[in-house]
Amino acid sequence: MDLDPEQMLERFARRTAERERIEHRDAADLLGRNDGLRDLVDMRQRMMAMLAGRPRARWVTSREGDLDGTYRDVLALVEAASARS
């Protein structure tokens, strides 16, 4: 998945504030334990560095408010990769 860093932080902050799902409540608790958003930015940077060394990696851009559309994009990439192998 790929998101602009600012967009990622905004979505993360909004979801943790809403606390609608258990994983959002857990994430909010984790934010309170450490340097929260800074840790999230660092994690994203490490992930991007790891992916830079994987030339066959594919990107899926997360669609705000369209979980089904994002999931269809993931499935399309998986199906395309399966067809090539």
Side-chain angles (χ1 to χ4, degrees), residues 4 10-11 16-17 19 21 27 29-30 32 44 46 52 61 65-66 70 76:
D4 171 85
E10 187 276 328
R11 285 186 189 182
T16 57
R19 296 176 168 252
R21 299 173 56 140
D29 292 340
L30 288 172
R44 182 186 188 280
R46 288 190 308 272
T61 300
D66 187 7
T70 301

Side-chain angles (χ1 to χ4, degrees), residues 12 19 25-37 39:
F12 192 83
R19 296 176 168 252
R25 291 189 293 273
D26 291 346
D29 292 340
L30 288 172
L31 276 178
R33 291 186 195 164
N34 298 308
D35 192 12
L37 293 178
D39 289 343

Side-chain angles (χ1 to χ4, degrees), residues 40-55:
L40 186 60
V41 169
D42 291 344
M43 180 184 70
R44 182 186 188 280
Q45 289 173 339
R46 288 190 308 272
M47 181 185 72
M48 298 303 281
M50 182 264 309
L51 289 174
R54 297 181 175 263

